[in-house]
Amino acid sequence: MNAWWSLTKKEFRLGFPAFLFALILFIGLFTGGYYMGRSFGFEQEMLMSSAVTILLFHNLFLVLYMIYSLSYERKRLHLWLHNPMPIAGLLTSKLLSGLVFMTITYIGFITFTIIYQNNFDFMNFSGQEIFKIATISTIGIYSSAISIAIIFIFFWSIYLTLGKWMNEFFSFILTFILFILVMIFYEYVINSPFMTTLTNWGPIEIHDIVTRFDFVITGEEFKAGATWDSVLFYVGEYIVDFIAIILLFIAACWIIDRKVEV
C-alpha cells in the first residue's frame, strides 16, 4: 500500500501541469465571458454560456488527463511496465490523481455558480433546487467521466498491442475502426429487447429539475432561459454500465500485462 501511495504522489506531480492548464482554461473562459458580456450587453448570457461549456468539459476532463499522463508513459514504456506493481495499481493511481484534480476544478465551478446564481434572472433557485441540480449533475458528470476514461484505457491497450506488429499510424487507424465497430455493436445490444428487459428496473423519477438551458438570438438580443421538466432513469441501467466498465478495466489490465511487450 505504501508503494501505491508513493506512486500516486508521483502521479500528482506528473499530472499537475495538465491540472494547471485546465484551471487556467476555466478561469479564462469565465473571464472572457464576463468581459465579452459587458462589452456587448449580454453579461448574464455569456457567463452562463461559459459555465455550461465548463460543465460539459468536465465530462472529458479525466480522459484528457489520462491521454496526457499515458502519453508521458509511452515515451518510457519499458520503465513503466517493468514496475513491480500490478498494472491495475499503475492505472488506478493515475485515475485517482485525475479524479482529485477534476474534483478541485469541479468544486470551484459549483462554488462560483452558487455564488453568482442570484445575479442571473433565470437562475433564482431555492436551496433545495440547487442541491437537487448539483447532486444530479455531479452523479452524471463523474459517472460519464470515469466511463469515458476507462473506455479510452481499454482501446489504448489495444493500440499498444497492435503497435507490436505495425507502425503507430496504422495501429491508430485500426484501433479507431475497432472503436467505431464496438460502439455500433454496443448500441445494438443495449437497445435490444433482452437488454431493455434486463436494465429497465428500479425506476426513479425526479420532478421539477432543470433539464437544459436555452440560448436564443433574436435580432440584437441574446436571451437565455432554463427549461424545467421531469427526469426518469433506471437503476438497472447504471448497474449494467458499471459492470461493463469494470470488465473493460480488467480486460485492459490483462491486455497490457500479457500482450504488450517492450
Side-chain angles (χ1 to χ4, degrees):
M1 192 64 178
N2 289 334
W4 186 83
W5 276 114
S6 297
L7 178 63
T8 303
K9 292 177 182 178
K10 187 216 74 173
E11 295 297 343
F12 278 113
R13 293 192 296 270
L14 171 64
F16 184 76
F19 161 72
L20 190 61
F21 174 80
L23 187 62
I24 293 173
L25 176 63
F26 294 160
I27 294 174
L29 282 172
F30 271 129
T31 304
Y34 172 76
Y35 283 106
M36 286 184 64
R38 288 195 61 182
S39 299
F40 296 100
F42 305 132
E43 181 179 337
Q44 292 188 33
E45 291 78 5
M46 290 301 296
L47 277 176
M48 195 63 226
S49 299
S50 299
V52 171
T53 300
I54 293 172
L55 179 63
L56 294 176
F57 184 84
H58 274 88
N59 284 291
L60 302 175
F61 185 104
L62 191 55
V63 68
L64 294 176
Y65 177 86
M66 292 302 295
I67 291 173
Y68 169 83
S69 183
L70 291 174
S71 295
Y72 175 82
E73 304 294 0
R74 183 79 171 87
K75 300 174 183 177
R76 55 189 191 96
L77 194 60
H78 61 291
L79 295 176
W80 189 62
L81 293 181
H82 287 168
N83 190 304
M85 187 174 297
I87 295 299
L90 299 178
L91 291 175
T92 52
S93 66
K94 290 183 179 296
L95 287 170
L96 177 62
S97 60
L99 281 171
V100 170
F101 286 137
M102 173 181 165
T103 300
I104 294 173
T105 61
Y106 187 74
I107 290 175
F109 163 78
I110 292 295
T111 302
F112 174 86
T113 304
I114 291 175
I115 291 175
Y116 282 90
Q117 65 99 15
N118 289 328
N119 296 326
F120 299 128
D121 297 335
F122 52 90
M123 284 186 62
N124 292 321
F125 303 146
S126 66
Q128 183 178 2
E129 290 169 341
I130 292 174
F131 177 78
K132 187 190 299 184
I133 294 170
T135 301
I136 294 175
S137 298
T138 301
I139 293 173
I141 290 294
Y142 275 79
S143 59
S144 175
I146 293 172
S147 298
I148 294 172
I150 292 179
I151 290 171
F152 166 76
I153 292 172
F154 174 73
F155 285 99
W156 183 76
S157 68
I158 294 177
Y159 165 74
L160 291 181
T161 303
L162 293 175
K164 296 192 304 180
W165 301 296
M166 60 190 70
N167 63 41
E168 293 185 0
F169 175 76
F170 286 110
S171 61
F172 173 80
I173 295 298
L174 286 178
T175 303
F176 182 74
I177 293 174
L178 180 62
F179 168 76
I180 298 297
L181 293 176
V182 169
M183 289 299 103
I184 293 174
F185 177 73
Y186 177 78
E187 189 69 20
Y188 171 78
V189 171
I190 205 67
N191 291 321
S192 65
F194 172 75
M195 286 301 296
T196 300
T197 303
L198 186 64
T199 59
N200 284 11
W201 57 270
I204 298 178
E205 186 173 8
I206 301 176
H207 300 280
D208 299 325
I209 189 72
V210 176
T211 56
R212 73 174 188 269
F213 291 99
D214 303 302
F215 302 94
V216 180
I217 300 176
T218 57
E220 297 182 353
E221 292 184 326
F222 180 30
K223 299 180 179 179
T227 299
W228 297 76
D229 205 343
S230 297
V231 176
L232 176 67
F233 63 90
Y234 296 93
V235 174
E237 293 180 352
Y238 282 88
I239 297 297
V240 170
D241 287 342
F242 176 76
I243 294 173
I245 288 301
I246 293 297
L247 292 176
L248 279 181
F249 182 75
I250 294 173
C253 293
W254 184 86
I255 292 172
I256 295 174
D257 189 40
R258 302 295 179 86
K259 300 299 182 180
V260 178
E261 298 176 359
V262 293

